[in-house]
Amino acid sequence: MKTHRTVLVTTILIVLSVPLRAVRVGETAPDFAATDSNGQSHTLSAYRGKFVVLEWHNRDCPYTHKQYASGNMQQLQRKWTARGVEWFTVISSAPGKQGYVTADEENAYVRQVHAAPTAVLLDPDGKLGRLYEAKTTPHMFVIDPNGTLIYDGAIDDRPTTDVSDVPGAHNYVDAALTAAMAGQPVQVSVTRPYGCSVKYARE
Amino acid sequence: MGERETRSGILTVFLLCFLWGNGALVAHAREAAPGATNHTRLRLVSDSLAVEPGRMLRLGLLFDLDPHWHIYWINPGDSGEPPSVSWKLPPGFQAGGIEWPAPERLPNGPLTDYGYEGRVLLMSAIRAPQRISVQNVMLAADVRWLVCSDICITAKTSVSLDLPVQHTTPRADAQVASLFRATGARLPRPAPVRWRIIAEDEGKTFQIRLKAGARITHASFFPLDFNEVENAKPQNSVPLATGVEVTVYKSDQLLKPIGQLRGVLTVDGGRAYQVAATVQHASPVAN
């Protein structure tokens, strides 16, 4: 038996939480426009026909640090950009929050750690992060040449900050790109992202 | 808030008095580095003052966190990581898993985590072997935890307790006993057998409907599994004549239908229950 009250409450909940848009694997990834650390602007739609990776980043987060201290993230960036993938590191830390950097600071960091993304998108107002509902650093998204989201989740299957866990880990991004480029279905397309929370500006 | 802190402060003073007065508990307890580095004071405490061969005792990792810092539940929610423990016990001793008290919701901008602030005791059952040939045993643990406020810090340390072996049941001091008792009361217990609980799939939401035989004013649901419930979305609890109904938003990442929604339900602000709600697909036109 369903009461009117239940229906009403449900309706109110739905109205309160508009928009109920979702970034979902299997659906078209939402377009965005963002500026990189060299002042160049990028839209997702400009990269139709290419694989795109979005990597949420906070250099001072221990989970991000694990991937960079081990060289794993840089190695993935090199491997896949060499195969034509557009790899965007995204920084959604708000000014004053951990991980917020100026463009110059970020460019110095990229050189220092030998990172090799296509570009680093600076998202201090969190617009891109909120659009993709990026939760953690790292949080990884893979978009195929049709603009369809094919992976959303963790970098790998070892949710720790321990650098020694990197070599034995199964890397979901690497697996997704390998499969998709070979025309195979992505075996694991959604996982729980693990890491520090993205340091958004308070609403 | 202030009141809670004061009470917790008084409890801390009592506990410290007790601990310092009781060599057995602190003699070999090593603490994590003090607050400045990881915002945590961690001690290993025991519900018994000695180990009795063949009997069980409970050890607890007692976390005292600086204000506004938290650690995580077994399902940390949108970010974070639960503490992990690796027991270092003498031969024949066996340790059970961490007994997780019901967590709090920890909203964080557009995200919501599940965890603990202030003081939390993470208990584990330890079974002693039938025969122990020594007079004292060292029970130790390597602990790793993530502690976060606005930022996150990883910490690890070793804690240990040196306990005498006795052939009587040695009672813990009242203060520590009450700490274990209070934590025990926050452990999710199995749902009563007479309860009927379902989760009606309404398309965007699950309506978790509990028939408990009596009105329940308010309930909160904490999902055990990842990517089933949208952690940050508000829940709505409506009392029913014979129970309660809680509406939770489905996760955007929930791509396939699920048969069961597992989690912890806290009712009327107190007791917590382990629930596994069978998912029912209410109508074909769910939207």
Side-chain angles (χ1 to χ4, degrees):
Chain A
M1 191 188 76
K2 177 166 295 179
T3 63
H4 288 297
R5 189 164 52 174
T6 307
V7 174
L8 181 65
V9 164
T10 307
T11 310
I12 290 170
L13 276 176
I14 288 170
V15 169
L16 282 178
S17 63
V18 164
L20 271 176
R21 174 222 50 75
V23 174
R24 263 205 201 97
V25 163
E27 296 178 9
T28 302
D31 196 13
F32 61 79
T35 305
D36 73 20
S37 57
N38 292 308
Q40 220 151 2
S41 47
H42 301 265
T43 61
L44 177 63
S45 46
Y47 295 103
R48 275 288 161 97
K50 293 196 154 195
F51 283 93
V52 173
V53 171
L54 302 178
E55 170 219 337
W56 258 265
H57 179 90
N58 169 356
R59 63 163 79 169
D60 295 320
C61 162
Y63 296 89
T64 307
H65 181 258
K66 165 190 170 187
Q67 296 295 333
Y68 278 86
S70 62
N72 191 50
M73 194 69 89
Q74 300 94 313
Q75 181 259 321
L76 281 173
Q77 292 164 347
R78 273 203 179 79
K79 171 179 175 181
W80 290 107
T81 52
R83 297 179 194 186
V85 172
E86 304 290 339
W87 185 299
F88 295 102
T89 300
V90 188
I91 300 176
S92 296
S93 294
K97 299 264 189 171
Q98 188 193 54
Y100 171 78
V101 286
T102 63
D104 288 346
E105 287 167 346
E106 181 55 21
N107 290 335
Y109 171 85
V110 166
R111 282 193 300 275
Q112 182 202 328
V113 302
H114 308 290
T118 305
V120 180
L121 304 179
L122 302 180
D123 181 43
D125 59 7
K127 232 184 199 164
L128 179 50
R130 288 171 193 268
L131 178 65
Y132 274 76
E133 297 180 0
K135 293 185 165 74
T136 57
T137 50
H139 186 165
M140 309 297 296
F141 297 85
V142 182
I143 298 155
D144 78 4
N146 298 321
T148 303
L149 186 66
I150 58 170
Y151 180 76
D152 173 353
I155 175 90
D156 62 27
D157 64 350
R158 299 283 173 91
T160 70
T161 56
D162 212 329
V163 173
S164 66
D165 279 331
V166 170
H170 173 71
N171 193 288
Y172 294 124
V173 176
D174 200 52
L177 285 167
T178 303
M181 275 202 181
Q184 305 293 319
V186 174
Q187 293 297 327
V188 181
S189 56
V190 179
T191 61
R192 174 187 173 267
Y194 72 84
C196 309
S197 57
V198 174
K199 309 307 178 192
Y200 290 113
R202 293 271 176 242
E203 277 163 319
Chain B
M1 182 85 161
E3 192 194 1
R4 197 179 66 177
E5 278 167 12
T6 309
R7 251 188 288 137
S8 137
I10 290 168
L11 187 60
T12 306
V13 170
F14 270 114
L15 192 83
L16 284 176
C17 289
F18 162 74
L19 288 172
W20 287 118
N22 196 304
L25 278 180
V26 289
H28 297 276
R30 270 169 286 157
E31 291 190 8
T37 52
N38 60 30
H39 304 276
T40 310
R41 283 153 303 283
L42 175 63
R43 292 186 288 275
L44 185 61
V45 293
S46 169
D47 73 346
S48 310
L49 298 180
V51 168
E52 188 178 348
R55 295 289 292 260
M56 207 193 71
L57 72 155
R58 270 200 164 65
L59 294 185
L61 299 166
L62 181 59
F63 290 84
D64 274 301
L65 304 165
D66 284 351
H68 313 298
W69 288 79
H70 57 265
I71 59 171
Y72 294 91
W73 188 43
I74 186 168
N75 174 6
D78 286 333
S79 69
E81 181 185 342
S84 66
V85 57
S86 169
W87 291 102
K88 308 290 175 201
L89 304 175
F93 280 76
Q94 289 180 321
I98 293 175
E99 299 169 0
W100 302 94
E104 299 168 47
R105 286 172 70 88
L106 302 168
N108 173 13
L111 312 177
T112 290
D113 295 332
Y114 303 123
Y116 313 98
E117 292 182 316
R119 155 169 288 183
V120 60
L121 182 68
L122 299 182
M123 305 188 295
S124 291
I126 307 288
R127 183 166 290 284
Q130 291 294 340
R131 291 171 56 92
I132 305 177
S133 55
V134 292
Q135 289 186 331
N136 281 280
V137 290
M138 174 80 89
L139 307 173
D142 294 339
V143 189
R144 292 164 48 142
W145 70 103
L146 182 74
V147 56
C148 300
S149 62
D150 273 352
I151 64 168
C152 296
I153 293 171
T154 52
K156 62 179 172 183
T157 194
S158 300
V159 288
S160 60
L161 269 182
D162 195 8
L163 292 181
V165 178
Q166 289 178 14
H167 288 268
T168 54
T169 304
R171 299 180 62 82
D173 172 276
Q175 290 297 330
V176 166
S178 80
L179 186 61
F180 275 87
R181 229 182 1 257
T183 304
R186 284 182 62 200
L187 293 184
R189 57 194 82 182
V193 284
R194 65 170 196 285
W195 278 19
R196 293 291 170 265
I197 182 158
I198 58 153
E200 216 162 274
D201 186 336
E202 297 282 339
K204 303 284 188 200
T205 61
F206 289 117
Q207 288 186 5
I208 302 168
R209 199 165 307 141
L210 166 63
K211 288 187 180 168
R215 180 187 156 95
I216 290 171
T217 310
H218 187 269
S220 296
F221 180 73
F222 297 90
L224 196 56
D225 299 302
F226 304 130
N227 289 342
E228 290 183 349
V229 165
E230 206 61 50
N231 301 309
K233 292 250 172 85
Q235 297 188 2
N236 193 66
S237 170
V238 177
L240 302 176
T242 59
V244 69
E245 184 176 89
V246 183
T247 303
V248 300
Y249 274 96
K250 281 183 179 176
S251 168
D252 287 344
Q253 310 311 330
L254 186 58
L255 302 176
K256 294 173 190 157
I258 51 171
Q260 251 191 356
L261 189 60
R262 302 189 308 152
V264 166
L265 200 69
T266 58
V267 302
D268 290 341
R271 273 172 285 178
Y273 296 92
Q274 305 156 10
V275 294
T278 303
V279 175
Q280 296 189 351
H281 298 267
S283 65
V285 278
N287 289 324

